[in-house]
């Protein structure tokens, strides 16, 4: 054979091999649906679709809660919006939502779904459910052949997806747990639809996919977030807020500018104040249509019912101890006394019970007996809350604080505010400051708060550790590599800015200036005291002391010459010492006082409230103000509350708030119910320069300028 003939032979062999390979990759023509009527009946009926195509998964009858929930899910997939549900464990919420996404894609209602969970691996587990259904569910294969046939042709070998064709055209299918791209088959409503997986704290922003057919960029038009918090994250205010910001920020922006996205979320409330409970609070998040369902809607309360129930549970426990899982003797007793035991009770899902059980209430009684510590959270979405209150005092939660807002924006205060005070908490990397305007009856309006240096790169919620590890520190900004030098420059810069600040009342009739500022001297004490001693501004060093029930109350100790005292604070004499005049604060006393201020309703003398702002922007502040919990203690003939920091929380602004409140008390403002300090309001505050006190006094006494009076008149006319 000549060389030319051999080349022709090789070319023909290659063409035959290519043709055979193409035939092997081509899946052939797609048959019509086997039962088109069955498929069409489910087109606008999600509950029927679930029962029809997943009968083993949804074998039990729907409860009224299921029916209402699925109607909302269907509406969101069809028309957009946001739906959040908190269902008891085992109610099938994850199974319903994952199959609902299949429904949305199969009928072409949605073409890009983001599957999001607490971790990316958990989201991939959701994708595995969808993959398994298309590979094994015979009814889906019969009625949606344009989707199922290309998928099954892969035979579980993902590498085949790259070259797969249908009628000579590539299907562009991708079939992995990280990303699913549905086959592009002519006439398929799901052609090119995408499902992508992510963790709630993973790479979510910019999620997109270039459509291989059209070349256009696709962005998510629907997201499903399943169990977006873990047990650990639910117990951390910081992690909860981080998840909420992501959920209502990055996730809601997945669709791109101006695009309405459909959002579905499910979870279980692990503790009051976690991400799930906040998302279900319509006051905090009115944009979410949230439902909270319980396994038992009403427990029996009759005394006879409780007595019979206790006997049933005793018999049941005995049989379980013997390894008799279906406890027939206990069930026989329950059957005999069922009407008595269940009188007045009501379960939410009558079909939820084991085969050997009589009713859903019996099943619930067993679950509660087996899981006494977690039942309220896992099945009732109403966890036990050990930190909400103690005897004699209500401790406001972060949710209660964040929604307690007066009517004016940051930096403007109501007309009745007359004086303004500040506290600064000193950390190694940063200064955390807090300004409050108060009335003469100690009603407080939070004017502003912040961190110096500012942390624009960290967003609206961050921690001290983030500032120290990746933010801007005092040494970075001041350029002084010595902690002492950096702190001195930082204090000079911050306090000058705060004291120079003008804060106007809402009608612009009065201008408030900062009157007194307390600065924490727990870190680099000598630097703080030296700064305060030399500053021309009204600043004083302050130190917190936890006076416990075992300690001698300050009020009964002998007052030394030159010492000043007030409720929960004192200014020791420094004669004969090398210390500057400073304030000692009873942190337990003032934590209790401030809890009462936040628990006092707006409009009542002594109530404190935040400036008006979106909840997400105030959440970091409210988390810190609610970061401590109290324990009731007794000692030396008195009762008091001892406060401690909750695990995983930070309280820098709470410390600053304590100092600002004490500054108001030092200046002579009395909390309702307290006795005025003996001797009345002091003419001067030891340790502060005469000039600083003169400036503060002039600010309190001065009359409005002509320009301010004209502005006030103009505002009143406008309001009328």
């Amino acid at each position: 054979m000549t060389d030319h003939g051999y080349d022709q032979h090789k070319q023909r062999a290659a063409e035959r091999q290519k043709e055979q390979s193409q035939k092997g990759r081509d899946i052939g023509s797609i048959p019509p649906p086997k039962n088109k009527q069955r498929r069409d009946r489910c087109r606008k009926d999600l509950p029927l679709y679930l029962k029809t195509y997943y009968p083993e998964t949804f074998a039990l009858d729907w409860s009224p809660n299921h029916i209402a929930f699925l109607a909302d899910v269907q509406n969101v997939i069809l028309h957009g919006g946001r739906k959040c549900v908190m269902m008891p464990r085992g109610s099938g919420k994850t199974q319903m939502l994952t199959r609902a996404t299949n429904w949305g894609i199969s009928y072409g209602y949605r073409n890009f779904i983001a599957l999001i969970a607490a971790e990316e691996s958990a989201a991939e587990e959701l994708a595995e459910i969808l993959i398994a259904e298309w590979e094994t569910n015979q009814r889906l294969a019969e009625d949606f052949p344009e989707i199922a046939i290309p998928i099954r042709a892969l035979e579980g070998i993902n590498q085949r997806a790259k070259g797969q064709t249908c009628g000579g055209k590539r299907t562009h299918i991708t079939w992995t747990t990280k990303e699913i791209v549905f086959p592009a088959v002519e006439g398929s409503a799901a052609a090119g639809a995408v499902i992508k997986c992510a963790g709630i704290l993973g790479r979510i922003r910019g999620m997109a996919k270039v459509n291989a057919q059209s070349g256009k960029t696709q962005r998510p038009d629907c997201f499903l977030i399943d169990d977006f918090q873990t047990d650990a994250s639910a117990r951390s205010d910081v992690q909860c807020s981080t998840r909420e910001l992501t959920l209502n920020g990055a996730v809601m922006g997945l669709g791109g500018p101006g695009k309405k996205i459909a959002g579905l979320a499910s979870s279980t409330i692990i503790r009051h104040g976690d991400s799930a409970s906040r998302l279900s609070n319509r006051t905090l998040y009115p944009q979410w249509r949230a439902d909270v369902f319980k396994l038992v809607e009403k427990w029996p309360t009759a005394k006879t019912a409780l007595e019979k129930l206790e006997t049933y549970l005793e018999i049941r426990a005995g049989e379980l101890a013997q390894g008799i899982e279906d406890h027939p003797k206990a069930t026989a007793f329950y059957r005999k006394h069922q009407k008595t035991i269940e009188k007045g009770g009501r379960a939410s899902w009558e079909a939820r019970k084991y085969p050997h059980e009589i009713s859903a209430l019996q099943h619930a009684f067993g679950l509660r007996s087996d899981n006494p510590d977690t039942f309220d959270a896992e099945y009732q979405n109403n966890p036990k809350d050990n930190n909400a209150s103690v005897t004699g005092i209500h401790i406001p939660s972060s949710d209660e604080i964040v929604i307690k807002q007066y009517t004016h924006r940051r930096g403007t205060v109501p007309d009745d505010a007359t004086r303004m005070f500040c506290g600064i908490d000193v950390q190694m990397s940063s200064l955390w400051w807090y300004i409050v305007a108060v009335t003469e009856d100690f009603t407080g309006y939070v004017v502003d708060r912040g961190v110096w240096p500012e942390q624009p790169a960290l967003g609206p919620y961050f921690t001290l550790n983030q500032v120290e590890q990746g933010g801007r520190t005092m040494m970075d900004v001041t350029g002084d590599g010595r902690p002492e030098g950096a702190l001195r420059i930082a204090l000079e810069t911050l306090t000058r800015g705060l004291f120079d600040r003008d804060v106007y009342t809402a009608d612009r009739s009065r201008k408030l200036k900062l009157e007194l500022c307390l600065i924490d001297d727990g870190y680099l004490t000598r630097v703080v005291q030296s700064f305060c001693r030399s500053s021309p501004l009204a600043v004083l060093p302050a130190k917190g002391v936890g006076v416990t029930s075992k300690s001698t109350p300050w009020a009964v100790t002998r007052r030394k010459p030159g010492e000043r005292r007030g409720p929960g604070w004192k200014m020791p004499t420094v004669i004969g010492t090398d210390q500057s005049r400073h304030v000692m604060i009873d942190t337990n006393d003032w934590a209790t006082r401030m809890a009462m201020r936040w628990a006092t309703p707006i409009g009542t003398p002594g109530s404190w409230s935040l400036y008006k702002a979106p909840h997400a922007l105030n959440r970091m502040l409210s988390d810190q103000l609610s970061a401590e919990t109290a324990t009731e203690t007794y000692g030396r003939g008195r009762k008091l509350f001892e406060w401690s920091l909750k695990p995983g929380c930070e309280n820098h602004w709470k410390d600053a708030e304590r100092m600002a409140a004490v500054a108001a008390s030092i200046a002579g403002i009395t909390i309702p119910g307290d006795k005025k300090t003996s001797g009345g309001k002091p003419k001067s505050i030891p340790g502060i320069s005469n000039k600083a006190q003169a400036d503060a006094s002039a600010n309190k006494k001065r009359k409005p300028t002509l320009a301010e009076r004209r502005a006030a008149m103009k505002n009143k006319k406008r309001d009328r």
Side-chain angles (χ1 to χ4, degrees):
M1 183 180 294
T2 65
D3 291 344
H4 177 67
Y6 180 69
D7 289 341
Q8 289 181 328
H9 170 73
K10 284 200 302 181
Q11 184 177 353
R12 287 194 297 269
E15 289 174 352
R16 284 196 303 270
Q17 187 175 3
K18 181 179 179 181
E19 183 179 354
Q20 290 172 356
S21 177
Q22 287 176 339
K23 287 181 179 179
R25 294 197 304 267
D26 198 279
I27 60 176
S29 60
I30 304 295
K34 182 176 181 179
N35 193 331
K36 189 174 183 300
Q37 289 183 335
R38 180 171 64 186
R39 169 172 165 160
D40 289 344
R41 282 197 303 269
C42 298
R43 184 179 297 276
K44 290 294 179 68
D45 193 333
L46 176 57
L48 179 62
Y49 169 84
L50 296 178
K51 287 285 190 181
T52 300
Y53 292 103
Y54 313 97
E56 293 83 9
T57 303
F58 305 106
L60 300 178
D61 292 337
W62 299 123
S63 71
N65 289 342
H66 285 119
I67 294 171
F69 167 60
L70 289 173
D72 285 341
V73 171
Q74 175 170 316
N75 185 65
V76 168
I77 291 177
L78 292 177
H79 306 295
R82 281 175 262 184
K83 178 67 181 178
C84 177
V85 66
M86 314 298 162
M87 275 188 167
R89 292 289 185 196
S91 296
K93 61 182 183 297
T94 299
Q95 303 294 337
M96 286 185 285
L97 288 173
T98 50
R99 270 65 173 203
T101 60
N102 242 358
W103 176 76
I105 282 182
S106 299
Y107 289 104
Y109 301 133
R110 297 289 159 180
N111 65 9
F112 195 143
I113 294 177
L115 282 184
I116 303 171
E119 307 289 345
E120 185 174 346
S121 58
E124 290 181 27
E125 290 175 7
L126 301 181
E128 285 180 358
I129 295 174
L130 301 177
I131 288 173
E133 290 290 0
W134 283 112
E135 291 178 344
T136 62
N137 189 311
Q138 191 56 33
R139 284 194 178 182
L140 281 179
E142 291 172 353
D143 291 359
F144 297 89
E146 72 279 11
I147 300 175
I149 288 177
I151 291 170
R152 294 189 171 197
L154 299 176
E155 296 181 329
I157 303 174
N158 297 329
Q159 290 82 353
R160 293 179 178 176
K162 189 173 183 180
Q164 188 186 81
T165 61
C166 180
K169 296 181 179 179
R170 285 185 61 189
T171 62
H172 299 288
I173 185 175
T174 300
W175 206 244
T176 69
T177 56
K178 291 185 179 296
E179 179 180 275
I180 295 172
V181 179
F182 282 76
V185 174
E186 189 174 348
S188 172
V194 178
I195 295 177
K196 267 197 169 186
C197 298
I200 187 72
L201 301 182
R203 187 179 177 274
I204 292 178
R205 293 184 185 276
M207 188 181 287
K209 177 76 175 178
V210 176
N211 188 292
Q213 289 177 291
S214 65
K216 295 181 179 179
T217 299
Q218 293 174 258
R219 294 187 181 278
D221 56 7
C222 179
F223 65 82
L224 165 58
I225 301 185
D226 182 66
D227 276 339
F228 50 84
Q229 62 179 8
T230 64
D231 286 350
S233 74
R235 289 176 171 81
S236 166
D237 287 341
V238 173
Q239 293 190 49
C240 286
S241 294
T242 301
R243 279 165 165 75
E244 290 167 60
L245 287 169
T246 302
L247 178 57
N248 291 289
V251 174
M252 289 308 303
L254 284 173
K259 298 290 185 179
K260 189 174 183 180
I261 193 169
L264 300 168
S266 73
S267 192
T268 298
I269 298 175
I270 297 173
R271 73 166 176 94
H272 291 293
D274 67 9
S275 298
S277 72
R278 290 177 184 175
L279 206 63
S280 65
N281 187 326
R282 296 194 181 187
T283 301
L284 293 174
Y285 294 111
Q287 66 272 37
W288 281 93
R289 291 159 54 197
D291 289 322
V292 179
F293 297 126
K294 299 180 179 182
L295 182 63
V296 177
E297 295 176 348
K298 188 178 180 182
W299 293 102
T301 56
K303 184 178 179 180
T304 53
L306 297 177
E307 290 173 352
K308 296 296 183 185
L309 176 60
E310 288 177 2
T311 303
Y312 159 71
L313 292 174
E314 287 176 4
I315 300 172
R316 177 181 180 274
E319 289 184 284
L320 290 176
Q322 299 174 43
I324 307 173
E325 295 294 330
D326 56 355
H327 46 79
K329 291 181 180 179
T331 299
F333 177 88
Y334 192 95
R335 181 179 286 106
K336 182 178 179 180
H337 300 284
Q338 182 179 2
K339 288 185 178 180
T340 301
I341 294 174
E342 295 186 353
K343 186 177 180 180
R346 184 174 67 252
S348 63
W349 188 10
E350 287 301 328
R352 180 169 180 166
K353 60 185 179 67
Y354 294 132
H356 62 271
E357 292 174 327
I358 298 170
S359 69
L361 273 177
Q362 181 190 5
H363 180 72
F365 291 137
L367 287 174
R368 185 171 64 172
S369 177
D370 296 339
N371 307 278
D373 296 328
T374 60
F375 180 86
D376 287 342
E378 299 285 330
Y379 297 99
Q380 294 295 95
N381 279 298
N382 185 29
K384 297 173 181 175
D385 192 349
N386 296 324
N387 293 324
S389 62
V390 292
T391 304
I393 185 174
H394 173 68
I395 305 174
S397 67
S398 178
D399 287 351
E400 291 174 290
I401 293 174
V402 81
I403 63 176
K404 193 181 180 190
Q405 301 181 1
Y406 58 91
T407 55
H408 305 302
R409 301 278 178 186
R410 190 173 184 172
T412 301
V413 294
D415 300 340
D416 59 339
T418 56
R419 304 167 75 178
M420 198 162 69
F421 303 93
C422 179
I424 300 176
D425 184 59
V426 178
Q427 297 295 323
M428 183 172 64
S429 62
S430 47
L431 305 176
W432 298 65
W433 56 271
Y434 178 106
I435 300 177
V436 63
V438 297
T439 66
E440 295 304 322
D441 62 8
F442 211 81
T443 298
Y445 305 107
V446 179
V447 176
D448 204 353
R449 83 294 185 275
V451 177
W452 198 97
E454 294 182 351
Q455 307 293 327
L458 297 183
Y461 200 109
F462 53 87
T463 64
L464 176 61
N465 183 62
Q466 288 174 309
V467 173
E468 293 173 345
Q469 298 300 320
R472 304 166 73 225
T473 68
M474 290 188 289
M475 286 191 285
D476 294 333
V477 174
T478 62
D480 194 320
R482 299 168 302 127
E484 297 83 357
L487 176 57
R488 179 85 187 209
I489 297 171
L491 287 172
E492 289 173 352
T493 305
L494 174 60
T495 54
R496 176 54 63 189
L498 295 177
F499 276 88
D500 285 347
R501 182 172 184 171
D502 296 333
V503 173
Y504 288 90
T505 54
D507 64 1
R508 303 288 291 184
S509 66
R510 283 182 297 106
K511 179 173 67 176
L512 273 63
K513 300 286 284 186
L514 198 58
E515 187 172 328
L516 176 62
C517 176
L518 300 191
I519 303 175
D520 165 37
D521 70 354
Y523 170 70
L524 294 179
T525 304
R526 290 189 177 277
V527 175
V528 174
Q529 292 194 356
S530 172
F531 166 76
C532 292
R533 185 168 54 245
S534 61
S535 174
L537 304 173
V539 291
L540 275 175
K543 184 184 293 293
V545 179
V547 179
T548 68
S549 57
K550 297 179 181 179
S551 308
T552 302
W554 287 352
V556 301
T557 58
R558 186 174 180 178
R559 183 179 302 190
K560 297 179 181 179
E563 181 178 277
R564 278 199 60 205
R565 288 184 184 175
W569 61 267
K570 64 181 179 179
M571 295 176 65
T573 181
V574 292
I575 299 173
T577 73
D578 61 350
Q579 288 188 318
S580 299
R581 192 67 159 167
H582 63 281
V583 184
M584 295 180 67
I585 301 172
D586 180 347
T587 54
N588 286 324
D589 180 276
W590 275 94
T592 304
R593 292 173 185 277
M594 295 314 300
M596 295 172 68
R597 304 282 62 78
W598 286 104
T600 301
I602 288 180
T604 305
S607 171
W608 280 42
S609 52
L610 301 177
Y611 51 81
K612 191 173 183 62
H615 298 138
L617 299 183
N618 268 342
R619 178 59 73 179
M620 182 177 166
L621 174 59
S622 64
D623 279 354
Q624 292 205 15
L625 297 184
S626 60
E628 297 177 4
T629 187
T631 302
E632 190 173 6
T633 61
Y634 297 85
R636 295 184 177 268
R638 74 196 194 282
K639 176 183 79 173
L640 59 80
F641 301 102
E642 296 182 11
W643 293 76
S644 59
L645 187 64
K646 298 176 187 175
C649 296
E650 296 188 357
N651 62 347
H652 317 301
W653 278 324
K654 186 173 182 66
D655 285 341
E657 178 186 67
R658 259 190 289 253
M659 287 183 277
V662 170
S665 178
I666 291 172
I669 301 177
T670 304
I671 295 179
D674 276 353
K675 294 181 180 179
K676 286 188 177 292
T677 307
S678 60
K681 188 186 301 185
K683 294 182 179 180
S684 64
I685 301 173
I688 298 179
S689 71
N690 292 333
K691 181 180 183 303
Q693 294 184 68
D695 290 344
S697 177
N699 176 60
K700 286 184 289 181
K701 295 177 181 179
R702 78 175 185 86
K703 295 181 179 179
T705 65
L706 178 61
E708 289 172 344
R709 292 199 300 272
R710 285 176 175 173
M713 291 295 294
K714 188 179 295 185
N715 287 331
K716 288 180 180 178
K717 288 180 180 179
R718 182 196 60 203
D719 293 340
R720 286 199 294 267

